[in-house]
Amino acid sequence: MNTAVRDLPAPAMFEFDASNWKLAILAGLAISILAALALPASLSFWVIGAMAAMIAAVFAINAYRRKYYGGLLVAPAIAVLFVMNIFPLLWSLGLSFFAYQSNQQTIRFIGLNNYIKVLTNDIAAPANWDALINTGMFVVSTVAAQMIAGFLLAMLFAKQFPLRKYLLILVLTPMMLSVVASGVFFTYYYDPTFGILSYAIGEVTGEQFILMDNKLGAVTGIVFADAWMWSPFVMLLVLAGLVSVPKYLYEAAAIDRVSKWRQFWTITFPYIRGLLMLALLFRTIEAFKLYDLVYILIRGGQDTKTIAYLIAEIANEQNKTSEGAALSYVILFMVIVLTNLYLYLANRRNQGA
Amino acid sequence: MSSDALRLSGVSKAYGRVRALENMSFNVAEGRFFVLFGPSSVGKTTTLRTIAGLVPPDQGRVEIFGKDWTHEPIKGRGVSMVFQSFALYPHLSVFENFAYPLREEGIVSEEIKRRVMETATMLKLAHKVDRKPGTLSGGEQQRVALGRSLVRRPKILLLDEPLTNLDAKLRHDMRAELKRLHRQFGLTIVYATPDELEALSMGEEIAVMRDGAVVQRGTPDELYENPADTYVAGKIGAPHMNMIAAKVSKDGKSIDTPLGKFSGKQNLKTASGEKALMGIRPSDIELAGNSKSAIKSRVHLLEPLGDVTVVSVESGGETLRLVLPESKAQGLKPGDHTGITFDTNKIHIFRASSGQAIA
């Protein structure tokens, strides 16, 4: 049916036509290269941008004339994705090979020097490694806390009890709150003078309690706040798995006189294993980016700076744009390796099972 | 009394406001193939679940081999159950599905292996023990479900509509298979089914259920020959019994119907003038050509079913169905006039108000 509609023949290679996308790419590339070589960077940037827009427009006209409506419908989404995500991503990748500071006009190609600096420089690298270790510690502790709390909550909410529906909504609210809002709640809870935590402990011990006055306390405070926000997310996923287990399997197991413990491992767990892996994956990626709570609760004090915190500090506060970009790509690389490892293990288990 | 494998007395169970079982009582002799027969949502499954111990009854007693198990836990009943949905453990292999009930008993693994393979071989599943249930056909899944409940050698086996999810040919094969297993193991089987054919062909004894209680129980022949009421008469036998409105005549010995006056084999247990129903099985009616004693009728519809033909005829404003051998039905056309006749010993008479049999 579609082939009959697309009866308009494709234009010849060098035919000057508004739908000749091959010619558009060729011309766009040629003009871009010429502009990059001949014009100053501040001008060639706009010329290349205009060429990209021209090629996109030709593609759109081609799709419209030849009735590729599917392509036409996703075009706006692709355009937004490109402008907002892919272009900045590639741009920052490019920047990481230059010496560039956003508050200065100069830019100079220095190859891998930024990467070498963030990983090996005597002054910069130790702070980066410390921050990376902090991030690793936060990843392990927050994800573990969320997985355990989320799993237990799911086991609880899989049962029927009075007011379950309302309690479920209540438990889900932290996930829907803005991180900044709940971060501010927790600064109040943890406040040494009027926070409820310090007040309660002070009542018992008779001394002023300051949670954030050492690293352990600060980390505990951050992990607790993070777990409070994101355990419901894990719970939702696990709950979806738990309710999908057919009830008759438990009845069959009861007649087969199988203990609850074995019922859990042989019937329940296979249904939630995949979802647990998914929750683990999502939460690990998120935990790598932990910045907000560290900033709101303690401003990176007590040696709690994470790598994301450090990147924001380097790139935004110290204006070392290209160095921040290089560090970001190191982290991106780590996350990609780690998540692929996850997916590989998850897939292998699924095939084995 | 003590030879009863199973005895339910006055068992009642309600789910909220829905009454599933009402004063349900029956007993099953050891080694018997006992069928609970009735349409869906009549309480068959609840009955089985009560016996298995999955549902505690609100009232009444459940005795298994003379011991009261009403409020005891499931463990130790020696009862196993095959679910309508099969309820196979989807993430365990066929072998592990079989071994599942045995693992809890602390049996050594060689013995488990031996028993599992023995059962699997008997059910022709030996070459499939490493497969997951999801990869098996419906019939194979059915056999796995059966094997899993047989492998622990239960004293009583409960089967909840086990053939409902199978196609027609497999059902036929499995009926024979189940009968064979019953004979081979001497098991006591309680089998719930809404299918009349299954009930009649497999049951040594059938309890016909209605609204959470047993209406009538007996051998297939007893139920066929002497249905206790119009409900049982309508459920057993296909096509269903013809029911003709009638009235008990003045002498109280016979009934007046639009087809004429008939008297049954016994005296009627009723007063004269009362409204009644006369039932006659389609297979008990014969064509009588144009003989004088025959009841006049007109052919209305023919349904050839291969070796037999179901003929609907109209007579005196009533529609009757006959089952005729194919040879006798040949040449009949809708609109033909023909006489019919039946043996008055074969008629069933029911009270119109309650449906109870009165002769």
Side-chain angles (χ1 to χ4, degrees):
Chain A
M1 185 193 79
N2 276 336
T3 50
V5 177
R6 290 180 204 139
D7 46 5
L8 204 63
M13 186 68 210
F14 291 107
E15 188 186 336
F16 191 77
D17 183 279
S19 66
N20 189 348
W21 54 272
K22 289 173 195 159
L23 185 64
I25 289 178
L26 214 62
L29 271 178
I31 294 172
S32 300
I33 291 165
L34 280 177
L37 293 176
L39 295 171
S42 57
L43 262 177
S44 67
F45 173 83
W46 294 109
V47 173
I48 294 170
M51 287 303 112
M54 189 267 290
I55 294 171
V58 170
F59 264 104
I61 291 168
N62 180 54
Y64 178 74
R65 287 205 185 152
R66 293 187 170 70
K67 300 190 164 60
Y68 299 128
Y69 291 129
L72 216 52
L73 283 170
V74 296
I78 291 173
V80 169
L81 186 72
F82 188 83
V83 172
M84 310 296 282
N85 272 355
I86 296 171
F87 171 69
L89 202 68
L90 294 176
W91 186 258
S92 63
L93 179 64
L95 268 188
S96 68
F97 299 112
F98 287 85
Y100 172 71
Q101 300 209 351
S102 57
N103 57 350
Q104 286 169 21
Q105 292 299 314
T106 57
I107 182 160
R108 187 167 46 89
F109 183 75
I110 53 166
L112 290 171
N113 274 358
N114 277 329
Y115 289 91
I116 294 166
K117 184 185 173 192
V118 298
L119 291 176
T120 62
N121 183 280
D122 285 345
I123 299 161
N128 295 345
W129 288 116
D130 283 350
L132 197 62
I133 289 166
N134 274 343
T135 292
M137 176 198 68
F138 276 119
V139 167
V140 172
S141 50
T142 60
V143 172
Q146 288 162 18
M147 296 296 287
I148 293 168
F151 174 78
L152 292 177
L153 278 172
M155 292 299 278
L156 177 67
F157 279 98
K159 305 212 183 323
Q160 293 294 332
F161 52 87
L163 298 178
R164 172 181 176 275
K165 238 163 81 180
Y166 303 98
L167 284 172
L168 192 61
I169 294 169
L170 216 60
V171 169
L172 286 178
T173 14
M175 200 176 83
M176 303 173 197
L177 287 177
S178 144
V179 184
V180 178
S182 33
V184 171
F185 292 165
F186 277 96
T187 55
Y188 289 142
Y189 295 148
Y190 297 158
D191 190 281
T193 43
F194 57 83
I196 187 160
L197 183 74
S198 300
Y199 175 79
I201 293 177
E203 283 292 290
V204 178
T205 60
E207 288 169 41
Q208 194 193 23
F209 176 77
I210 306 169
L211 178 71
M212 297 284 191
D213 74 347
N214 57 60
K215 184 171 180 179
L216 181 67
V219 169
T220 310
I222 293 167
V223 170
F224 184 82
D226 198 63
W228 181 79
M229 284 189 68
W230 293 113
S231 299
F233 174 80
V234 179
M235 180 199 74
L236 265 192
L237 281 178
V238 176
L239 196 56
L242 287 178
V243 297
S244 73
V245 186
K247 293 278 169 293
Y248 55 70
L249 289 184
Y250 295 117
E251 293 187 337
I255 288 188
D256 287 343
R257 300 158 301 170
V258 174
S259 66
K260 290 279 177 212
W261 178 248
R262 263 170 60 79
Q263 283 186 27
F264 175 79
W265 285 110
T266 51
I267 299 174
T268 314
F269 188 68
Y271 276 90
I272 59 172
R273 186 169 58 201
L275 290 162
L276 277 175
M277 286 303 278
L278 198 65
L280 194 66
L281 182 72
F282 282 174
R283 290 317 310 155
T284 306
I285 294 174
E286 284 284 302
F288 256 97
K289 300 189 282 193
L290 181 70
Y291 163 76
D292 32 32
L293 282 173
V294 180
Y295 180 78
I296 295 163
L297 289 180
I298 196 166
R299 301 283 189 280
Q302 306 293 3
D303 185 24
T304 56
K305 282 182 189 171
T306 62
I307 199 78
Y309 192 98
L310 207 62
I311 290 169
E313 210 172 57
I314 291 169
N316 295 345
E317 289 170 28
Q318 302 170 9
N319 290 314
K320 295 179 193 162
T321 315
S322 56
E323 194 183 317
L327 195 51
S328 303
Y329 272 88
V330 173
I331 303 309
L332 181 65
F333 178 74
M334 287 180 179
V335 173
I336 288 174
V337 168
L338 198 69
T339 50
N340 275 295
L341 200 67
Y342 260 1
L343 292 177
Y344 170 75
L345 289 175
N347 282 337
R348 208 182 55 172
R349 286 204 70 162
N350 280 350
Q351 274 154 19
Chain B
M1 195 68 92
S2 61
S3 71
D4 282 347
L6 181 66
R7 182 176 201 85
L8 266 68
S9 18
V11 172
S12 294
K13 175 73 191 173
Y15 295 107
R17 296 174 63 182
V18 182
R19 303 205 54 83
L21 294 181
E22 295 263 19
N23 199 16
M24 174 93 177
S25 302
F26 66 86
N27 59 311
V28 181
E30 192 174 352
R32 192 62 61 85
F33 199 125
F34 188 86
V35 172
L36 285 171
F37 169 67
S40 54
S41 74
V42 81
K44 302 186 298 291
T45 301
T46 308
T47 308
L48 293 189
R49 288 159 64 89
T50 310
I51 300 168
L54 289 170
V55 202
D58 298 337
Q59 280 165 30
R61 275 160 69 89
V62 178
E63 284 170 48
I64 297 169
F65 288 102
K67 183 171 182 291
D68 184 358
W69 281 94
T70 317
H71 297 289
E72 299 293 317
I74 293 169
K75 223 173 171 125
R77 285 186 188 221
V79 171
S80 72
M81 181 161 170
V82 175
F83 292 77
Q84 185 180 353
S85 55
F86 306 157
L88 303 178
Y89 308 116
H91 300 94
L92 301 179
S93 66
V94 170
F95 183 94
E96 282 302 320
N97 264 281
F98 276 31
Y100 208 56
L102 299 176
R103 294 241 186 258
E104 246 3 74
E105 295 176 13
I107 297 172
V108 288
S109 62
E110 290 91 56
E111 171 69 5
I112 290 180
K113 187 158 190 230
R114 198 186 60 73
R115 274 166 71 170
V116 168
M117 289 316 290
E118 186 184 279
T119 313
T121 310
M122 183 186 70
L123 291 164
K124 305 182 194 79
L125 285 166
H127 57 298
K128 301 232 161 137
V129 287
D130 294 327
R131 300 266 291 270
K132 289 277 161 65
T135 66
L136 301 177
S137 71
E140 287 165 343
Q141 292 187 14
Q142 167 67 75
R143 296 209 296 274
V144 176
L146 204 58
R148 188 181 63 190
S149 42
L150 287 174
V151 76
R152 42 181 274 223
R153 295 170 189 164
K155 285 181 246 162
I156 300 176
L157 177 61
L158 309 175
L159 297 157
D160 187 9
E161 304 191 19
L163 307 186
T164 307
N165 291 341
L166 302 182
D167 63 50
K169 188 194 168 310
L170 266 174
R171 273 190 215 189
H172 193 97
D173 296 346
M174 283 308 293
R175 284 210 302 269
E177 182 77 12
L178 279 171
K179 277 185 103 157
R180 187 178 69 79
L181 288 173
H182 172 238
R183 255 203 319 275
Q184 185 175 341
F185 286 90
L187 277 170
T188 307
I189 291 182
V190 182
Y191 185 104
T193 179
D195 185 292
E196 170 192 338
L197 196 61
E198 282 175 22
L200 292 175
S201 66
M202 294 165 62
E204 293 174 334
E205 224 179 332
I206 302 174
V208 182
M209 284 185 72
R210 178 190 196 176
D211 297 337
V214 175
V215 182
Q216 187 182 4
R217 65 173 281 190
T219 64
D221 284 347
E222 282 166 9
L223 295 179
Y224 188 82
E225 301 293 342
N226 296 309
D229 61 12
T230 50
Y231 178 82
V232 177
K235 292 281 172 219
I236 304 276
H240 294 151
M241 189 185 274
N242 294 299
M243 289 289 176
I244 296 150
K247 203 174 198 178
V248 178
S249 61
K250 291 217 175 67
D251 56 8
K253 284 181 180 151
S254 57
I255 49 168
D256 294 318
T257 74
L259 309 182
K261 193 178 176 96
F262 301 104
S263 52
K265 47 193 166 178
Q266 307 157 23
N267 278 345
L268 301 179
K269 295 169 266 183
T270 185
S272 66
E274 197 183 352
K275 278 192 179 147
L277 286 167
M278 183 187 81
I280 178 81
R281 297 227 177 251
S283 53
D284 290 338
I285 310 179
E286 286 170 46
L287 291 182
N290 291 323
S291 79
K292 284 228 173 109
S293 60
I295 303 159
K296 287 192 175 53
S297 73
R298 203 162 66 90
V299 177
H300 178 61
L301 188 72
L302 294 164
E303 297 168 76
L305 298 174
D307 53 345
V308 294
T309 302
V310 179
V311 182
S312 301
V313 300
E314 232 177 86
S315 178
E318 297 278 349
T319 303
L320 294 173
R321 279 198 287 190
L322 293 67
V323 176
L324 296 176
E326 200 251 339
S327 57
K328 288 197 179 164
Q330 254 169 9
L332 280 181
K333 291 191 303 293
D336 283 359
H337 289 272
T338 180
I340 53 170
T341 183
F342 47 82
D343 181 355
T344 51
N345 282 329
K346 296 278 177 69
I347 66 173
H348 306 266
I349 301 168
F350 305 97
R351 187 171 282 141
S353 53
S354 64
Q356 295 295 319
I358 44 179

